[in-house]
Amino acid sequence: MASLWLSRASRRFLKPSPFSSLICLSHSLFSISSSPYNEKSCANPRPVPIPNHFHSPLRSFEQYRGGKWIPGSSVGSLTHISTSSSSSNAKSNGDCKVDDVSWIDLYLPRQARPYARLARLNKPIGTWLLAWPCMWSISLAADPGHLPDFMMLTLFGCGALFLRGAGCTINDLLDRDIDTMVERTKLRPIASGLLTPFKGLCFLGVQLLLGLGILIQLNNYSRILGASALLLVFTYPLMKRFTFWPQAYLGLTFNWGALLGWSAVQGSIDPAVVFPLYISGVCWTLVYDTIYAHQDKEDDLKVGVKSTALRFGDSTKKWITGFGIACISSLAICGLNAEIEWPYYACLAAASGQLAWQIWTVDLSSRIDCNKKFVSNKWFGAIIFSGILLGRLSS
């Protein structure tokens, strides 16, 4: 008798009240009103689980469906209509997809957005990777016990932004036919037709003029050294057509600042310090850009371009482990020749751990994880910079 009474009481407790129905209805309306309108998603609604705060505490007993309470079901399986669409159905919004909105789309005029995307302003990791060797070199060139020249750091930071943007523009102009056949690059401004090659060339001229404005503020030795890097910048995009080692060529290009930063402060280069620094940067680039290249290896095979990812294949982790060891060893030699103090070596040990984490844990078959590890290299650069800074101040 008692069990029958409890069963009836629980059924009475579980009946939906007008108030609870109103809550669920308002929740559904709020979900619809807060989602961007998309005709496809409305025509093909995708069920999404009700959040936990709308679940009954006794949801495991029964569920109301089709006018009946069904024992043994879960109220948590009830769903409501959602108007959010999947990434594969994302509509194009002018010059970008809805699911790829960045600060460019929020703050820049519509006419300026394709140019900002051409310069990769929405992806600053390339600027960081170009800037860090410059910052390392400038800090190493500082007098013992002193901070590096802040004005020089600022100039090289701006130069990295302009030169990286110019490099991306050159790359997209030369690779516009290849980019249309690669999933990751087919929506780039020139490949997608948002910008004509002529407009890209005009924009490149503006970028190079801005870079020239930075270069002429340096000493004569550094002007010549900096201008000579343009040969590497202009020829790098062609390397993937001829060699499996375009990542090594990128290393020579991206780490030119290791030579230029020292000369901008000291008036010339000290080979004992800057050459090991430059070699370490090239080896570092071979690590992170090989990981990055694994994102496109299937498309690269179809298109017929080359990369270290294809060259190394299943042995990639062994190869990049070797390059990682060479990178750290060269940084240690650089520190010894620069007579830098112990904080540098403590940070070098931390940077070694960060690099080892990348190599050992990266899933080379996952584009998402390859990109995650690639982006994490900004922290490797920051750790080395902190070590040089603290080591110089302790000298």
Side-chain angles (χ1 to χ4, degrees), residues 196-262:
T196 64
F198 177 74
K199 290 181 178 179
L201 278 172
C202 293
F203 184 55
L204 175 61
V206 173
Q207 292 172 299
L208 292 176
L209 281 174
L210 291 171
L212 179 62
I214 299 294
L215 191 63
I216 60 176
Q217 298 183 59
L218 307 181
N219 56 58
N220 289 333
Y221 186 96
S222 299
R223 291 173 187 171
I224 297 171
L225 186 62
S228 62
L230 289 177
L231 177 63
L232 295 171
V233 173
F234 275 92
T235 54
Y236 160 68
L238 302 173
M239 290 300 109
K240 65 174 75 73
R241 294 166 171 82
F242 305 111
T243 177
F244 281 101
W245 294 87
Q247 282 68 31
Y249 202 84
L250 179 67
L252 297 174
T253 308
F254 249 51
N255 295 280
W256 201 255
L259 309 176
L260 190 59
W262 183 281

Side-chain angles (χ1 to χ4, degrees), residues 98-381:
V98 171
D99 61 346
D100 190 28
V101 175
S102 70
W103 67 270
I104 289 175
D105 308 289
L106 298 176
Y107 301 111
L108 292 186
R110 191 174 188 83
Q111 294 80 1
R113 294 174 195 171
Y115 296 98
R117 289 185 176 276
L118 184 59
R120 311 287 198 275
L121 295 183
N122 57 322
K123 297 178 179 179
I125 179 59
T127 303
W128 282 116
L129 296 176
L130 184 60
W132 281 131
C134 305
M135 306 304 176
W136 299 347
S137 187
I138 293 170
S139 300
L140 279 170
D143 294 330
H146 291 80
L147 290 169
D149 188 333
F150 180 76
M151 182 58 69
M152 199 64 70
L153 291 174
T154 303
L155 280 175
F156 273 76
C158 294
L161 179 66
F162 299 147
L163 188 61
R164 188 266 179 141
C168 291
T169 303
I170 295 168
N171 184 81
D172 286 10
L173 285 168
L174 295 177
D175 284 354
R176 59 186 182 274
D177 295 331
I178 293 176
D179 285 346
T180 58
M181 296 183 280
V182 178
E183 184 65 29
R184 185 178 57 84
T185 61
K186 65 183 181 181
L187 292 179
R188 286 177 175 174
I190 294 177
S192 64
L194 283 171
L195 291 178
T196 64
F198 177 74
K199 290 181 178 179
L201 278 172
C202 293
F203 184 55
L204 175 61
V206 173
Q207 292 172 299
L208 292 176
L209 281 174
L210 291 171
L212 179 62
I214 299 294
L215 191 63
I216 60 176
Q217 298 183 59
L218 307 181
N219 56 58
N220 289 333
Y221 186 96
S222 299
R223 291 173 187 171
I224 297 171
L225 186 62
S228 62
L230 289 177
L231 177 63
L232 295 171
V233 173
F234 275 92
T235 54
Y236 160 68
L238 302 173
M239 290 300 109
K240 65 174 75 73
R241 294 166 171 82
F242 305 111
T243 177
F244 281 101
W245 294 87
Q247 282 68 31
Y249 202 84
L250 179 67
L252 297 174
T253 308
F254 249 51
N255 295 280
W256 201 255
L259 309 176
L260 190 59
W262 183 281
S263 72
V265 176
Q266 298 289 347
S268 63
I269 61 172
D270 181 353
V273 176
V274 297
F275 282 177
L277 185 66
Y278 184 56
I279 292 169
S280 72
V282 173
C283 293
W284 178 41
T285 304
L286 277 162
V287 173
Y288 68 66
D289 207 52
T290 297
I291 292 173
Y292 185 79
H294 270 271
Q295 296 179 97
D296 300 329
K297 55 190 175 185
E298 290 85 3
D299 290 323
D300 288 347
L301 280 171
K302 294 176 185 176
V303 175
V305 297
K306 302 175 175 66
S307 70
T308 50
L310 296 178
R311 171 65 179 80
F312 300 156
D314 294 336
S315 301
T316 291
K317 289 200 174 186
K318 295 178 181 178
W319 278 92
I320 61 177
T321 296
F323 291 129
I325 293 171
C327 170
I328 298 301
S329 300
S330 297
L331 284 169
I333 294 170
C334 173
L336 289 171
N337 292 342
E339 299 180 350
I340 199 166
E341 292 298 321
W342 68 267
Y344 171 74
Y345 300 100
C347 290
L348 186 59
S352 302
Q354 201 277 342
L355 201 62
W357 165 77
Q358 288 185 56
I359 295 169
W360 293 342
T361 65
V362 64
D363 181 359
L364 296 173
S365 63
S366 168
R367 294 188 178 189
I368 293 175
D369 194 49
C370 286
N371 188 68
K372 176 184 174 182
K373 297 303 191 297
F374 168 73
V375 172
S376 75
N377 279 278
K378 62 187 177 184
W379 300 117
F380 177 88

